Amino acid sequence: MDIKTVSAEELLQSIRQKQSFFSMRLRKHPEQARVFRKYGPPEQVAALLREGSGDVFFDNGTMCMTGTYLFDREAPESLLKLSDIRAAYPEMRSKGEYLVVHDRWGDMFRYPFAVGSKQVFKIGILIDKIRKAAPECRTAHRPEDLEYVRQQAEKLPD
């Protein structure tokens, strides 16, 4: 998905396609996805993506970080403003390295970082950028940090 030209309809279609057979509600009504409940209607979210496209800090083809948000092109619901992050830490898995973040509503996202190739950037640089945008962000994967995220979680608007 090209963040420079993304449209509301493209976002809705992408969310619709990513839903499993068991998520019929979102397949029929993708405009009810959590990303739109967080950041406004599809047109507003598409505009947010386009506005940030001129300030890309990191882009590995899948994960994109601008001065204001993180976004996984393959998971449109992953859009997350940096200021809404409450915890961020690296995680190694068999398929690669991920930047894991928890937002102010208690949602967790895994952003793919390195899959089979050497990256010039280190996840620590991205975490430092997040910490500057969200000073209350925790940057470790300890039980007390995850408890902090749970305690700070806000109710998502209906």
Side-chain angles (χ1 to χ4, degrees), residues 9-65:
E9 185 54 42
E10 188 178 1
L11 280 174
L12 289 168
Q13 186 63 23
S14 184
I15 287 172
R16 187 177 290 121
Q17 290 174 348
K18 298 293 178 194
Q19 299 309 309
S20 71
F21 176 76
F22 299 104
S23 300
M24 291 305 278
R25 182 182 62 82
L26 280 182
R27 287 183 81 124
K28 290 181 180 180
H29 302 285
E31 68 280 356
Q32 295 176 359
R34 289 179 70 82
V35 68
F36 303 128
R37 291 172 53 206
K38 292 175 185 177
Y39 298 121
E43 297 80 14
Q44 190 173 333
V45 171
L48 174 69
L49 285 169
R50 289 190 304 268
E51 288 168 13
S53 69
D55 186 24
V56 174
F57 177 73
F58 175 79
D59 191 344
N60 67 3
T62 303
M63 179 190 126
C64 177
M65 180 183 213

Side-chain angles (χ1 to χ4, degrees), residues 6 19-21 29 54 80 101 113 129 131 136 140:
V6 67
Q19 299 309 309
S20 71
F21 176 76
H29 302 285
L80 189 58
V101 298
F113 191 76
K129 183 116 172 129
R131 195 176 330 177
E136 65 281 353

Side-chain angles (χ1 to χ4, degrees), residues 16-156:
R16 187 177 290 121
Q17 290 174 348
K18 298 293 178 194
Q19 299 309 309
S20 71
F21 176 76
F22 299 104
S23 300
M24 291 305 278
R25 182 182 62 82
L26 280 182
R27 287 183 81 124
K28 290 181 180 180
H29 302 285
E31 68 280 356
Q32 295 176 359
R34 289 179 70 82
V35 68
F36 303 128
R37 291 172 53 206
K38 292 175 185 177
Y39 298 121
E43 297 80 14
Q44 190 173 333
V45 171
L48 174 69
L49 285 169
R50 289 190 304 268
E51 288 168 13
S53 69
D55 186 24
V56 174
F57 177 73
F58 175 79
D59 191 344
N60 67 3
T62 303
M63 179 190 126
C64 177
M65 180 183 213
T66 72
T68 54
Y69 65 76
L70 276 171
F71 184 65
D72 180 345
R73 287 179 172 86
E74 296 176 7
E77 283 196 74
S78 72
L79 174 64
L80 189 58
K81 288 183 180 180
L82 300 181
S83 59
D84 290 333
I85 297 175
R86 296 298 176 258
Y89 51 88
E91 181 179 80
M92 294 295 294
R93 294 202 161 217
S94 61
K95 293 184 179 181
E97 193 171 0
Y98 295 84
L99 171 62
V100 178
V101 298
H102 298 260
D103 69 13
R104 70 181 189 160
W105 298 280
D107 294 334
M108 182 191 75
F109 300 95
R110 277 189 185 86
Y111 296 91
F113 191 76
V115 180
S117 64
K118 292 183 179 177
Q119 297 284 343
V120 174
F121 273 76
K122 297 288 183 204
I123 287 183
I125 295 170
L126 300 181
I127 291 173
D128 286 342
K129 183 116 172 129
I130 292 167
R131 195 176 330 177
K132 288 176 185 166
E136 65 281 353
C137 177
R138 301 284 179 100
T139 58
H141 187 227
R142 300 173 306 188
E144 56 267 28
D145 296 318
L146 298 178
E147 182 60 29
Y148 165 80
V149 169
R150 280 189 285 281
Q151 289 176 354
Q152 297 294 316
E154 298 175 16
K155 185 174 177 358
L156 188 62

